[in-house]
Each structure stands twice: as C-alpha cells, then as structure tokens.
Amino acid sequence: MPRTDRSQPVLEQEREQAPAAVAGLDAPAPVAVDRIVDAAGAPGGPGRILVVVSPKGGLGKTTLAANLAVGLGRIAPDSVVLVDADLQFGDIANVLDLDAPHRIPELVNGLAASDDLVLKALLAPHPAGFFVAPGAESPVDAERVSPEQLGALVQRLAATFRYVIVDTTPGLGEHTLTALDVATDAIAISGLAVPNLRALRTELAVLRRIGFAPQARHLVLNQAVDPGGLLPRDAEAILQEPFDVVIPHSRSVPVSTNRGVPLLLDSPRDPAAKAVVDLIARITATDAKTLRASMKRSA
C-alpha cells in the first residue's frame, strides 16, 4: 500500500533542506470494452509500473511517456495503459489528439472506484494499441483525486495490464510521491542545462533519502544539444552519475507533438525515436536491434 501517510511530514522537512528539488458515466464504448477484455488476465502476475518524473517542467516528460506507450503497445498490444497523473494541467490527451470523455476523477469515484469492469470500460483507447487514463478537465476537478486514490488506481490497473506508464507533475508533490511508492521503475529525465541537471541530482538524492526510489531506475538525457557547448559527458559530471539513454535533439519532436502524433508513429526512423526504442529495450531487457525489427513488423 502507498506510504502516503508518512510522505507529507517527511517532504516538508526535505523542502527546507533541498528547495531546488521540491519547488492531473456515460455508456462505455463497445470497442474499448472488447479490447480491455482481450487484455485482461495477462500472464506473469502484476504489471510493471513505470513512473516518469522530472524536477522541472518543459523537459519532455509527457512526450516521452506518450512515446513509451506507443512502443510498449507494439510489444504488448492492448496491455498498456498510460495514466496522466499531472492532474491539474496534464497534456496527455492533447499530445495524443485523443477524445477522452472520461477522466481520472471519474475513475476513482463512483461505481468505477469499486468495479473493475466499469473502470476498464472508461479508459480511452488509442489506435496504436494502448489505453489512456487522462488527467482532470480542470484544476478544480483535480481536487477530487487524493494521492491515496491515485495510488490505488495505478495498482488496480497493474493487476490487469502488463505495463502501466504514469506521467507525473514536475517536482515531488504528494501525488508524484505516491506514484513512485507503488512503482517498479522510475524514469527520470533532464535536459542539457546546468539548472535542470542540478535539480535532478537533488531530486534523486531526496528520493533516496526518504525511501521513495524504486529499485529499477532509468536516467534519460533529453534533447541533447546545447548552444553553450555543454556535452553529455559534462552533464554526467554535474549529475555525478551516468545517463542510461541520451535522446538527441530533433526538429521532428515538436512537429509530431503539435500534430498529436507521437514520434514513434510519425517519424520512427528519426534518431530521437531510435533512442526511445533504446530506452524500451532497456526496460524490457531486450536487444535493441531485435526490438526495432519486431516493432517494425508490428507497425
């Protein structure tokens, strides 16, 4: 169960020590029900919970989460769900150009809170073979979702889906800490700028100190180009540990985002898309070349 009951006092103490680091029922569509029933009962026990975090906004966290859903959806069709835990101002539905009439406040309240079939039916299906639980329509509506409810939702989804990807609010708020507390993997992302790298270093140190760091961790350097001459090796020196995946700068990323089509669908041969596949290979312990060939065949 989530350790949210202890997160708030500990977090308040860490805010003082590390301010840089602690500065989301209409009738369900039949097609969604059919796809969910097919996905239910995936072998291997509870699914992986992949929580994507960053200390600051604007670092590509949501874009990466959306592309992870596309890539993992190729590996496990209809057994991947993307949760927008940036409840107040989440952009997952916009990034995917997805019509999502049902939002997380509906999923954790009312009948869906106690009926798994209703919960599954309210998820929004994406044509690429995964499902989405979008954030709230407004910041006011987001107040209907407590950290405990979010943690319980993620765990319920992991009981059915092979992969649950959670996009979070920047920083270390209560909802993000709760998601990390139930996670199997943390994917931490930074850009190639000194303030971002120092903030990520502090955030990782805070998570280790308060015991909210999952055993499996993947460090991602995103949009790796800097007009000031900073190189990935310089970034690693600032972070004081190596990055697992470096995603190069690509002009195709904002184009695909503005079109509402993830890069893995829009420009799969782009170097940035290939780097995302490298991250997926690391998460799934699969050879990257084999994975690329498999994803190409399933496209």
Side-chain angles (χ1 to χ4, degrees):
M1 294 300 292
R3 298 190 292 256
T4 310
D5 57 329
R6 68 177 176 84
S7 66
Q8 187 60 25
V10 174
L11 185 56
E12 291 296 335
Q13 179 182 359
E14 292 299 334
R15 282 197 180 103
E16 297 176 1
Q17 298 176 359
V22 188
L25 184 55
D26 296 335
V31 62
V33 175
D34 292 344
R35 285 174 55 181
I36 284 285
V37 169
D38 290 340
R48 298 271 293 277
I49 300 173
L50 315 172
V51 178
V52 187
V53 298
S54 66
K56 298 174 178 289
L59 299 178
K61 178 174 52 60
T62 297
T63 299
L64 179 60
N67 280 280
L68 285 174
V70 171
L72 290 170
R74 295 271 179 84
I75 298 171
D78 293 337
S79 196
V80 176
V81 60
L82 175 57
V83 178
D84 191 351
D86 188 353
L87 295 167
Q88 292 189 334
F89 298 104
D91 281 328
I92 286 293
N94 293 328
V95 166
L96 296 172
D97 192 24
L98 189 66
D99 181 18
H102 307 293
R103 304 282 177 139
I104 286 181
E106 289 182 72
L107 304 185
V108 301
N109 293 288
L111 188 57
S114 58
D115 189 315
D116 285 346
L117 184 59
V118 174
L119 169 64
K120 298 168 190 174
L122 294 185
L123 298 174
H126 189 275
F130 61 92
F131 294 86
V132 180
E137 287 278 10
S138 70
V140 174
D141 205 28
E143 295 301 316
R144 297 172 54 203
V145 184
S146 69
E148 294 84 358
Q149 287 176 314
L150 176 65
L153 171 65
V154 170
Q155 290 179 303
R156 287 176 66 195
L157 293 172
T160 296
F161 290 90
R162 186 172 169 185
Y163 296 103
V164 180
I165 304 162
V166 184
D167 184 31
T168 61
T169 304
L172 293 178
E174 288 187 82
H175 290 84
T176 297
L177 283 175
T178 300
L180 284 167
D181 195 28
V182 301
T184 60
D185 299 68
I187 301 169
I189 185 170
S190 177
L192 195 58
V194 172
N196 296 333
L197 292 161
R198 287 177 174 169
L200 178 58
R201 183 181 67 194
T202 305
E203 181 174 73
L204 294 174
V206 169
L207 291 175
R208 285 192 294 265
R209 191 175 302 131
I210 65 178
F212 277 76
Q215 290 186 348
R217 190 190 64 181
H218 317 277
L219 300 182
V220 178
L221 181 60
N222 193 33
Q223 297 287 296
V225 62
D226 183 73
L230 203 64
L231 299 174
R233 65 172 179 268
D234 301 319
E236 292 178 339
I238 295 170
L239 189 63
Q240 298 179 356
E241 52 188 305
F243 283 98
D244 299 303
V245 175
V246 176
I247 300 177
H249 174 76
S250 171
R251 294 181 179 179
S252 299
V253 172
V255 173
S256 68
T257 299
N258 290 334
R259 292 181 56 199
V261 182
L263 187 67
L264 282 183
L265 295 174
D266 197 47
S267 303
R269 296 185 178 182
D270 188 274
K274 293 180 179 179
V276 174
V277 175
D278 289 340
L279 175 59
I280 294 170
R282 173 182 167 83
I283 291 169
T284 59
T286 307
D287 177 74
K289 291 183 179 179
T290 303
L291 182 58
R292 288 192 189 98
S294 175
M295 292 175 63
K296 186 177 181 179
R297 287 194 298 270
S298 64

